[in-house]
Amino acid sequence: MNDDGKISKREFRKALHVLGLHFTRWKAGHAMTQADHNHDHYIDGKEEVDKLIVWAKKLGLVRDG
């Protein structure tokens, strides 16, 4: 949301909130745990974005297709 090419937990929580989801703080934290492979507190790079997509699919936020 600040065009730095990375997704922070705060940015992801805000995006989940905009989608109308509940428990956004927990969901954003869980997503970071699952996707932040290098533990820099950001989702960045193709591998981490792919892991975030897998996480979102498990929650039904993204559909295949």
Side-chain angles (χ1 to χ4, degrees):
M1 293 194 191
N2 61 7
D3 295 321
D4 65 358
K6 303 183 281 187
I7 303 169
S8 69
K9 180 179 174 181
R10 182 173 183 231
E11 290 170 331
F12 191 61
R13 185 178 63 80
K14 285 182 178 182
L16 294 174
H17 182 74
V18 167
L19 291 173
L21 300 178
H22 301 286
F23 308 108
T24 58
R25 187 173 301 221
W26 180 86
K27 288 176 181 168
H30 190 257
M32 293 298 284
T33 300
Q34 297 297 309
D36 183 17
H37 184 71
N38 61 6
H39 307 289
D40 66 353
H41 305 287
Y42 293 97
I43 304 300
D44 54 347
K46 182 175 177 1
E47 181 181 350
E48 291 185 358
V49 170
D50 289 346
K51 286 183 179 192
L52 183 62
I53 292 169
V54 168
W55 176 86
K57 284 180 181 179
K58 286 180 184 178
L59 261 65
L61 302 175
V62 176
R63 296 183 204 165
D64 288 325

